[in-house]
């Protein structure tokens, strides 16, 4: 009997992020507390740029954007937001979307599986993802439940379950 397996990845659907950004931009343009303060949110290359005339307002833009990401099912662990910076008369926050599991983080996950997971489950790092395999499918389900219960500082998705 062949081993069953699944992959652990950390990916974000770019289209969903784009939709969340557009929804946030629309809400910011319509909300009364953002009228006439130069509040905006947009893509700036691969980063997301939020601008407003005060630090509190730029943080409020970030909050609106985060709520839109949550509604679209995107983990906030994938969003890496910087601190508000004063640029002329504007405050700006640059944030980026983190994707992929670093070698260091993949090793943490593999160690967790080895130490706390069922016996006979193998985890191997493959680039920016982790392949978990076992002869028993129930063990794989137990590993998924174990990892969902852990609080890693990066988002995890489970794909290619076979």
């Amino acid at each position: 009997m062949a081993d069953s397996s699944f992959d652990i990845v950390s990916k974000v659907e770019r289209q969903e992020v784009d939709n969340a950004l557009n929804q946030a931009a629309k809400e910011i343009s319509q909300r009364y507390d953002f009228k006439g303060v130069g509040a905006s949110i947009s893509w700036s290359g691969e980063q997301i740029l939020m601008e407003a005339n005060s630090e509190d307002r730029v943080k409020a833009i970030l909050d609106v954007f985060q709520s839109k990401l949550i509604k679209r099912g995107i983990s906030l662990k994938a969003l890496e937001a910087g601190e508000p910076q004063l640029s002329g008369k504007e405050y700006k926050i640059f944030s980026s979307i983190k994707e992929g599991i670093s070698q260091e983080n993949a090793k943490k996950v593999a160690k967790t599986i080895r130490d706390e997971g069922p016996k006979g489950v193998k985890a191997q790092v493959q680039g920016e993802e982790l392949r978990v395999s076992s002869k028993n499918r129930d063990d794989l389900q137990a590993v998924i439940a174990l990892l969902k219960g852990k609080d890693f500082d990066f988002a995890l998705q489970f794909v290619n379950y076979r």
Side-chain angles (χ1 to χ4, degrees):
M1 187 174 131
D3 282 3
S4 299
S5 69
F6 68 90
D7 294 334
I8 301 172
V9 297
S10 182
K11 289 194 167 100
V12 175
E13 184 99 18
R14 175 95 177 175
Q15 185 61 50
E16 289 297 329
V17 174
D18 203 37
N19 291 342
L21 185 119
N22 290 336
Q23 286 179 337
K26 186 173 183 180
E27 182 174 322
I28 289 163
S29 71
Q30 293 175 346
R31 269 184 37 182
Y32 176 75
D33 56 336
F34 289 123
K35 291 279 189 237
V37 297
S40 68
I41 181 170
S42 61
W43 285 104
S44 174
E46 284 295 307
Q47 291 190 316
I48 298 161
L49 171 64
M50 293 163 251
E51 298 178 291
N53 66 355
S54 76
E55 188 173 347
D56 291 339
R57 289 217 173 87
V58 80
K59 285 181 178 176
I61 294 171
L62 177 61
D63 191 47
V64 168
F65 182 54
Q66 287 174 336
S67 71
K68 299 300 178 191
L69 286 174
I70 290 169
K71 283 183 182 171
R72 294 220 154 253
I74 298 171
S75 172
L76 291 183
K77 293 177 182 178
L79 181 69
E80 202 169 76
E83 290 299 312
Q85 302 167 341
L86 183 60
S87 172
K89 293 183 178 179
E90 296 273 307
Y91 278 89
K92 296 181 179 186
I93 293 180
F94 285 99
S95 58
S96 58
I97 303 295
K98 292 189 296 188
E99 287 194 301
I101 302 174
S102 69
Q103 289 291 325
E104 177 184 311
N105 288 336
K107 287 178 184 173
K108 281 185 199 171
V109 174
K111 183 174 177 3
T112 300
I113 293 169
R114 261 196 325 276
D115 295 348
E116 301 176 36
K119 299 288 179 241
V121 175
K122 296 185 288 292
Q124 58 206 45
V125 179
Q126 296 180 332
E128 291 193 337
E129 52 186 53
L130 200 68
R131 164 89 25 105
V132 180
S133 57
S134 172
K135 293 205 180 301
N136 188 346
R137 285 182 160 227
D138 291 340
D139 288 348
L140 293 179
Q141 294 287 345
V143 168
I144 290 174
L146 168 75
L147 294 177
K148 282 184 176 177
K150 294 286 177 191
D151 187 30
F152 293 105
D153 58 346
F154 50 95
L156 293 178
Q157 289 87 33
F158 307 99
V159 296
N160 296 336
Y161 186 83
R162 22 185 136 80

